[in-house]
Each structure stands twice: as C-alpha cells, then as structure tokens.
Amino acid sequence: MTSKSIVREAPPQGALVIHPEREGRSSARSSEARLEEAVGLAQALDLVVKDAIIAPLRKLTPATLFGSGKVEEIGALCEELDVDAAVVDDALTPVQQRNLEKAWGVKVIDRTGLILEIFARRARTREGRLQVELARLSYERSRLVRTWTHLERQRGGFGVMGGPGETQIETDRRLLADKIGKLKRELAEVRRTRDLQRGARQRHPFPAVALVGYTNAGKSTLFNRLTNSEVMAEDMLFATLDPTLRMLKLPDGRPAILSDTVGFISDLPHELVESFRATLEEVKEADVILHVRDIASEESDAEAEDVRAVLDRLGVDVEERNVIEVWNKADLVKPDLAEELVGDARRHNPPAVLISAATGEGCDALLAAIARMVDDAPPVSIHVAADQGAAIAWLYRNGRVMDRVEDDDGGVRLAVRLTPQALGQFEQRFPGTDLTPL
C-alpha cells in the first residue's frame, strides 16, 4: 500500500493584468512602463501572469470603469486564458469591483488591493503587521458590500420575537470599527516604544542617515554594501518592508546610523501612507536623506518625481533638507552614456553621486559626500592629557578627527569636528578639558 504525499502549497494562480489607459492622465510615465510595473506587482504576489494588456479608456463608466464592449472583450480573454484573477492597474470603487467580478467570473484585484496584499505578506515586525492590517481593514470597510453576501435582517437579540434587529452589514461594520479601534490602540503603544527608542538614539551624538527611493531602486543592496549587513535584497518590487537600522562608518571612522525604509511607488494607497507614517518618520528625523534612484531605468526621472510626491505627503520638504541623490546601478548603464552621467551628477542640484551598489563602485565617494554634509559644525581644538585615554577614544568614536599633534609630556592636541550635541556631551563627560574653537 503506497501512501500519497499531501500537497500543502496552494497551486499557482493565473492572472490577466490590465492597465486602463485614461485619456488626459497627467503622468510622466508611459502606459507601457506602468503596465510593466503592474506585471511586477502581480509577480511579487506570486501570480502567474498569462497576459498583460493596455485597455484604452475614453470615458469612465461608473458601474464597471470600462465600457460594455471592453468588459465583454476582457471577459472573453479571461475565459480563453483560463485565469483565476484579473488585476486592474487602477483604483476601483466597491461597486465596480463587484460588477467586474460578476461579468468576468474571476477574482478582481485593483492596484490598492494588490499593494496591500503584498505588504501583508512581506511585513515581519509587529509594527509592520499592525500597520498593514490597519490599512487593509480601512480599505475593506468600504467594500463590505462585496465581501459579505448574507445581508438579510437579523432578529432582535435576547429571544425577542418581534421587531427586526440591525442588518448583518451594520453588524459587520460595527465589528470592523471595533477591530480598527483595537488595532489603533495597539499601534499607538508600539509607536510610543519606537518614539522612546528614537529619543534614545537622538541622545547619542551620531548623525542619522535615511535611505528613500522608488521600490526596486536598490536601497537594500546599498544598505548591505555600506553596513556589511545581510538584509533581504532581491530584484523584486517591495522585497523589503520593515525599517532596518545599522551602524555606518564614515571616513576617519566616525559612526552614523543608517536606516532603510519601505520603497515608494506611484499612486501609493492613501491607507498605506497614513498607517506607515510613524515608520517613515525615520526620514523626517534624519540629518541626511539619501534618495536612491535606478539611473539605468528609462523611468528614473518619473520615479524620482513620485518619491518627492510621497515625501511631500509626509511633510518632508526636500528643498530644505540635506539630500544626496544616489544614482544607482551604474554598472547597467550603457558605456556611451556613462561619461555623460558623470558630468550630469557633478552639475546636479541637490548633489548626486553615481554608484553601483552591486559592485561597490562609487560607494567611497558617497561616504565622503555624507561626511561632508554632516560636518557642518566648525572644528574645535581639544587638548587631552596623557592619562585621559578614554577621552581620546570617545572623540574618535563620536567626532571626526582632522589633525593630531603629540605633546612632549604625552598629551595630545586634536582638531576635531563635533555636532553641537556631541560637543555638549563631551564637556559633560570630561569637564575641565582644554577646548578652544578653531
């Protein structure tokens, strides 16, 4: 008697990806590029994309988004391809989503639902999972008409025979509101802990550097390169979600704190921007922001605009912040364009550094640029006696030593740059030290 092995993995689901091409849409990105991105999102959700099409949309139809002829055409294609899901690269109303599912006979996922599902699968930390769940419930709250079908009236409770009670949809909405309230309270507690941790870091004299950029621009690869870490980095949209912090060594050994944040994307759902606001506050508190761009992409400029738009929604004014544009993936740029890019980077405002996080090319120049940007404090001259080795070690750890002169009596005079916060800490730790501005 042979025993059959039990297959526990769900079979792969086939999908048709549809990008509605709206007339008059103000976008710097081509419809082909947006369709390619939608395909990447579907693949990030482990869907097998059987076909991807651009559907011209001359006029919006309130009930189905597409006109009746296009709905029939796409329905026939879904049947021909035998797909399980149709991914519509646009925001659908609950009514549109329900009507399209009835017309096509497959599960319909809009852009917001697709991104939320990816985030739900990838979030690892407790805060990340709470944020995604809150965003998902906020999204589903308006879609109960699609989610639930048992909308008949209930009897009143406690054995009362007469008089109808609340409808099932009202019950579901009330339960959902209770869940959202509970999640918000849990998230507030997690955020309080994060604020305490951030406050503790701010008491350290280390500059904070934050990575931002379009998803798949290579932020995590650069993070690993600069910090010798092993954060997940794959050629995939939203490969990493949870923020990660590591120590970064600047030239001359000065430490900084580098944070890797979630990648941005065009039309990032409002629910996610709101629920991830606390996580992205790492960017608001940073001394230097590294805007990582995939310079080999034809859509690099448009993606950069999308990142700036999200930062603006978060209240981060890039015009008033220390920003370095990191032009990544230089190894993928055609040789005849590489030299031109070097010149463009020199002339760019804000400053730009051309690098390859994969090969390490340009990373030393990037670290030097970061060091210059955080070294805005004037240097001071500090004389340390021979028996104050701890003070010398502290200055090397927390400042940038520019010059060192040994005394005949064994003492040391250092020319060092310290942030005002670090300078105050040094004076508290080592009172009575001979310290003069240069």
Side-chain angles (χ1 to χ4, degrees), residues 21-245:
E21 186 179 32
R22 297 195 188 198
E23 283 192 356
R25 185 198 291 267
S26 58
S27 175
R29 311 179 70 205
S30 66
S31 296
E32 290 76 13
R34 293 182 70 93
L35 178 65
E36 184 181 350
E37 180 178 271
V39 169
L41 288 170
Q43 291 171 338
L45 200 55
D46 299 325
L47 294 174
V48 178
V49 178
K50 295 191 175 181
D51 199 1
I53 62 171
I54 295 173
L57 200 62
R58 294 182 183 85
K59 187 176 71 170
L60 298 181
T61 303
T64 55
L65 184 67
F66 305 99
S68 57
K70 185 58 72 175
V71 170
E72 288 181 15
E73 180 186 326
I74 294 174
L77 185 57
C78 288
E79 188 175 353
E80 178 188 339
L81 295 172
D82 190 26
V83 296
D84 305 288
V87 176
V88 180
D89 185 36
D90 210 327
L92 295 174
T93 67
V95 171
Q96 289 169 345
Q97 194 167 4
R98 186 177 75 252
N99 289 341
L100 289 176
E101 286 184 340
K102 286 181 179 177
W104 295 343
V106 298
K107 180 176 177 61
V108 174
I109 311 170
D110 71 349
R111 183 179 178 85
T112 301
L114 189 64
I115 294 174
L116 284 170
E117 184 64 28
I118 294 169
F119 273 53
R121 288 195 183 188
R122 302 279 170 77
R124 293 289 178 268
T125 63
R126 180 165 178 259
E127 181 180 13
R129 289 194 296 269
L130 287 173
Q131 287 168 329
V132 171
E133 182 66 8
L134 178 60
R136 187 185 67 79
L137 290 178
S138 300
Y139 170 76
E140 288 291 340
R141 180 161 50 181
S142 64
R143 282 167 160 71
L144 283 177
V145 291
R146 175 182 66 82
T147 306
W148 301 96
T149 55
H150 51 290
L151 303 184
E152 70 281 359
R153 282 191 171 271
Q154 296 175 324
R155 286 289 184 184
F158 304 105
V160 178
M161 297 299 294
E166 65 183 354
T167 61
Q168 183 64 50
I169 190 73
E170 290 167 345
T171 302
D172 295 334
R173 283 180 177 152
R174 178 172 50 77
L175 292 173
L176 201 55
D178 291 343
K179 279 186 181 179
I180 289 174
K182 182 173 182 248
L183 277 174
K184 284 183 175 178
R185 290 191 294 273
E186 289 183 33
L187 198 50
E189 183 61 27
V190 173
R191 285 174 177 171
R192 189 182 69 82
T193 303
R194 176 177 284 278
D195 288 341
L196 290 173
Q197 292 170 343
R198 187 181 293 119
R201 288 199 304 273
Q202 287 173 343
R203 288 192 292 274
H204 285 289
F206 306 143
V209 182
L211 291 168
V212 300
Y214 208 80
T215 183
N216 210 30
K219 296 190 314 305
S220 295
T221 304
L222 178 60
F223 184 87
N224 290 339
R225 171 71 62 177
L226 295 180
T227 62
N228 296 317
S229 301
E230 294 183 357
V231 172
M232 178 185 173
E234 292 188 13
D235 185 15
M236 180 191 296
L237 297 177
F238 297 121
T240 52
L241 290 183
D242 295 308
T244 311
L245 289 86

Side-chain angles (χ1 to χ4, degrees), residues 362-383:
C363 286
D364 288 341
L366 174 59
L367 289 172
I370 297 171
R372 285 194 299 272
M373 201 160 272
V374 299
D375 280 346
D376 52 359
V380 292
S381 174
I382 300 177
H383 184 268

